[in-house]
């Protein structure tokens, strides 16, 4: 092996948290592994998504919670310390340096090659390094594509002239815009509207749909809408952008109905697209720019030989870091098992299949109020053809909610598969509900019978007592 030609058991293209976990799990299985990364090791989540966004949101949510507690309201009534919040964000993003990630990778004996990796054929990857050199890699067993996603920008006339924010700019900006327009109504849109309004921006949301968080239960979007409007956000539903222009440093937004809006910055939170345009998919019979379809062991379909895997957001199964890392643990283990010719446990909930991608995907939206969900929504349950009972409960009636803060508003929904007598979906909306999601995930993923769940006694007085109230409501 020399500097320009190297062979490994496993090659991972993309060094975000998903790629890191694929490589580490393959290494734990006794295989040699290398990660190819063209930006920062740690990827989107560490530097432009999960970590910096939650660092921006945590002071906002904490202040909102404290303001509801008797005796604390006056103490937190003033504005946030913007400089301190942004400094904390920078720290949580490791100042956009990846030395700690490199140290971790070294500690698990996974190699790193910095540069742009592209497939050149079956089990072959060429890496163009920052110095202009090319390193040719060969995989003995597997190549895993974990390149994630990028912001999907709509074809709006004038877009190229305005230098819009995407999620990257929204999480890394070093100053607060006086006026921020947010296009979109999904998770990125509502979280960044929450953060920047609290930091001092006048935020206007332009939402194509007639509600926020349309993939979730309707009450979740309604409560988040109320919270944003109470904070001062101007939300305009059924609104689309016709054209954009930047003049004298301002963004001039022409709406489809002929109206106009002026902002200092505009955030386009309009979805994600796969980072597959330039990874050499055409050399193995796939289409550049497409999502990569996989089976439940993350082998890419349509590629002979079973050597190519796609893990994380790039396969479009569940676009969340924690779910991508779950996939990576599965993929690393199955690559190792196949390399050793061991039996593959591919039954539902087996060691080598990602059953949770279909049945138990948890999600938390860090707004005020928070939203937490796992499993099916009532709409998805109806579409699945299951016989479902929908159980709702007012979270404000739980004793723990009264302890949490005055004027608590929230709601819980549990979906019961009446044929199997198990929980298949849960959604909570209200302050502090993010910490309830794992109990819901265990109930759904564990397929816990309701008769047994009745014996899981929640501590008093906590928000978790909502589980008892939901079960009591179900029992009548």
């Amino acid at each position: 092996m020399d500097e320009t030609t190297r062979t490994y058991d496993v090659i991972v293209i993309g060094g975000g948290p998903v790629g890191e976990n694929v490589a580490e799990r393959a290494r734990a299985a006794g295989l040699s592994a290398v990660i190819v990364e063209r930006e920062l090791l740690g990827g989107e989540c560490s530097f432009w998504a999960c970590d910096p966004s939650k660092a921006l949101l945590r002071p906002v949510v904490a202040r909102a919670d404290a303001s509801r507690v008797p005796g604390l309201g006056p103490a937190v009534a003033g504005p946030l310390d913007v400089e301190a919040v942004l400094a904390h964000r920078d720290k949580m993003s490791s100042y956009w340096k990846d030395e700690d990630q490199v140290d971790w990778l070294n500690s698990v004996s996974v190699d790193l090659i910095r540069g742009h990796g592209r497939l050149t054929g079956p089990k072959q990857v060429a890496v163009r390094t920052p110095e202009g050199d090319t390193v040719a890699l060969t995989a003995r067993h597997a190549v895993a594509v974990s390149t994630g996603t990028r912001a999907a920008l709509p074809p709006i006339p004038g877009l190229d002239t305005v230098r819009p924010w995407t999620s990257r700019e929204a999480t890394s900006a070093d100053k607060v815009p006086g006026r921020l327009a947010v296009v979109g109504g999904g998770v990125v849109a509502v979280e960044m509207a929450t953060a920047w309004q609290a930091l001092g921006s006048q935020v206007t949301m332009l939402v194509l749909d007639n509600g926020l968080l349309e993939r979730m239960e309707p009450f979740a979007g309604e409560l988040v809408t109320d919270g944003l409007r109470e904070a001062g956000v101007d939300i305009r539903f059924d609104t689309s952008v016709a054209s954009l222009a930047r003049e004298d440093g301002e963004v001039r937004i022409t709406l489809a109905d002929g109206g106009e809006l002026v902002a200092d910055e505009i955030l386009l939170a309009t979805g994600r697209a796969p980072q597959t345009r330039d990874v050499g998919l055409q050399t193995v019979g796939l289409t550049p720019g497409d999502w990569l379809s996989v089976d439940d062991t993350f082998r890419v379909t349509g590629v002979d030989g079973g050597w190519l895997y796609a893990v994380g957001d790039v396969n479009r199964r569940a676009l969340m870091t924690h779910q991508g890392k779950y996939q990576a643990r599965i993929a690393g283990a199955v690559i190792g098992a196949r390399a050793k010719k061991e039996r593959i446990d591919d039954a539902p909930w087996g060691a080598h299949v990602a059953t949770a991608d279909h049945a138990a995907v948890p999600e938390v939206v860090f707004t005020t109020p928070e939203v937490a969900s796992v499993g099916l929504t009532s709409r998805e349950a109806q579409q699945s053809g299951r016989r479902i009972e929908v159980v709702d409960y007012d979270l404000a009636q739980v004793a723990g909610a009264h302890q949490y803060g005055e004027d608590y508003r929230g709601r819980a929904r549990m979906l019961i598969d009446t044929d199997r007598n198990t929980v298949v979906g849960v959604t909570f909306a209200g302050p502090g509900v993010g910490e309830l999601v794992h109990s819901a995930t265990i109930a759904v993923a564990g397929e816990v019978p309701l008769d047994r769940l009745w014996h899981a006694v929640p501590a008093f007085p906590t928000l978790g007592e909502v589980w008892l109230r939901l079960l009591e409501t179900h029992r009548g």
Side-chain angles (χ1 to χ4, degrees):
M1 185 173 72
D2 59 33
E3 288 302 311
T4 58
T5 304
R6 305 184 187 182
T7 299
Y8 292 89
D9 292 324
V10 181
I11 301 167
V12 180
I13 304 176
V18 174
E20 289 175 325
N21 276 266
V22 173
E24 188 273 334
R25 286 292 86 200
R27 189 72 188 90
L31 306 181
S32 62
V34 62
I35 286 177
V36 178
E37 174 55 52
R38 64 187 178 90
E39 291 188 301
L40 294 173
L41 185 66
E44 205 77 11
C45 177
S46 297
F47 300 106
W48 300 286
C50 316
D51 285 338
S53 68
K54 302 317 170 275
L56 291 172
L57 286 159
R58 178 58 190 150
V60 181
V61 174
R63 182 178 66 170
D65 286 346
S67 69
R68 299 185 184 93
V69 179
L72 275 180
V76 296
L80 293 172
D81 183 336
V82 173
E83 184 177 346
V85 173
L86 296 183
H88 174 62
R89 184 273 318 271
D90 294 352
K91 180 180 179 181
M92 294 303 296
S93 303
S94 300
Y95 306 100
W96 291 275
K97 297 178 181 178
D98 63 1
E99 288 90 343
D100 289 345
Q101 303 274 3
V102 173
D103 288 344
W104 174 84
L105 205 63
N106 289 334
S107 76
V108 296
S109 300
V110 172
D111 286 354
L112 170 66
I113 300 177
R114 294 189 185 273
H116 194 137
R118 299 177 179 86
L119 293 162
T120 57
K123 298 184 182 179
Q124 304 294 315
V125 175
V127 184
R128 188 68 170 174
T129 70
E131 295 75 27
D133 300 323
T134 298
V135 180
L137 302 177
T138 299
R140 295 186 187 93
H141 299 293
V143 176
V145 178
S146 297
T147 48
T149 60
R150 58 180 173 81
L153 302 181
I156 301 173
L159 178 64
D160 293 342
T161 69
V162 300
R163 302 181 302 281
W165 278 12
T166 66
S167 55
R168 283 198 166 197
E169 291 76 19
T171 55
S172 62
D174 59 4
K175 64 180 180 179
V176 179
R179 298 160 297 177
L180 174 65
V182 177
V183 180
V187 175
V188 172
V190 297
E191 287 192 344
M192 290 298 93
T194 298
W196 289 106
Q197 177 75 29
L199 289 169
S201 288
Q202 176 54 58
V203 175
T204 302
M205 297 187 70
L206 307 175
V207 185
L208 184 61
D209 299 316
N210 60 7
L212 301 179
L213 301 175
E214 290 284 273
R215 292 188 301 105
M216 307 185 88
E217 296 285 8
F219 67 81
E222 291 164 6
L223 284 167
V224 170
T225 298
D226 291 344
L228 285 167
R229 282 179 166 159
E230 288 170 9
V233 176
D234 178 5
I235 305 175
R236 306 183 188 184
F237 293 120
D238 301 310
T239 301
S240 60
V241 177
S243 65
L244 297 169
R246 189 177 284 272
E247 300 174 4
D248 300 323
E250 296 180 329
V251 180
R252 299 194 173 274
I253 305 164
T254 302
L255 305 177
D257 63 4
E260 292 187 348
L261 178 70
V262 177
D264 298 293
E265 300 291 352
I266 183 169
L267 165 60
L268 298 179
T270 49
R272 307 293 294 178
Q275 289 271 31
T276 60
R277 291 183 297 186
D278 194 17
V279 293
L281 294 185
Q282 70 278 4
T283 68
V284 295
L286 300 174
T287 303
D290 279 1
W291 299 95
L292 295 178
S293 298
V294 297
D295 63 21
D296 278 351
T297 68
F298 301 106
R299 275 179 164 169
V300 177
T301 57
V303 176
D304 293 336
W307 57 273
L308 184 62
Y309 292 74
V311 192
D313 286 5
V314 74
N315 62 36
R316 208 181 192 178
R317 289 165 65 104
L319 275 67
M320 282 165 279
T321 296
H322 51 268
Q323 206 69 21
K325 290 166 72 174
Y326 160 75
Q327 294 178 8
R329 295 191 292 271
I330 300 289
V334 77
I335 290 169
R338 284 178 173 145
K340 298 176 182 179
K341 302 188 184 305
E342 297 174 348
R343 184 182 71 86
I344 302 303
D345 181 6
D346 59 359
W349 304 108
H352 299 132
V353 292
T355 310
D357 280 355
H358 307 297
V361 177
E363 181 173 8
V364 178
V365 186
F366 294 85
T367 43
T368 53
E370 290 178 343
V371 178
S373 68
V374 65
L376 301 177
T377 63
S378 52
R379 180 176 60 250
E380 291 167 341
Q382 291 170 357
Q383 293 171 348
S384 73
R386 302 174 190 237
R387 292 201 305 167
I388 296 293
E389 177 186 351
V390 178
V391 182
D392 287 330
Y393 195 79
D394 181 359
L395 259 169
Q397 299 305 309
V398 176
H402 297 292
Q403 297 286 356
Y404 200 93
E406 294 180 320
D407 300 321
Y408 189 102
R409 284 178 291 170
R411 188 171 171 186
R413 171 168 290 178
M414 178 173 69
L415 306 181
I416 298 171
D417 183 324
T418 56
D419 291 326
R420 304 184 65 217
N421 205 37
T422 59
V423 180
V424 294
V426 182
T427 298
F428 302 112
V433 300
E435 298 303 326
L436 294 176
V437 74
H438 194 56
S439 59
T441 302
I442 292 170
V444 174
E447 299 178 333
V448 182
L450 292 185
D451 290 344
R452 176 58 62 88
L453 197 59
W454 179 254
H455 294 281
V457 182
F460 179 88
T462 66
L463 289 175
E465 199 179 12
V466 68
W467 281 106
L468 174 58
R469 302 306 173 211
L470 286 166
L471 291 170
E472 287 177 333
T473 303
H474 162 63
R475 288 188 166 207

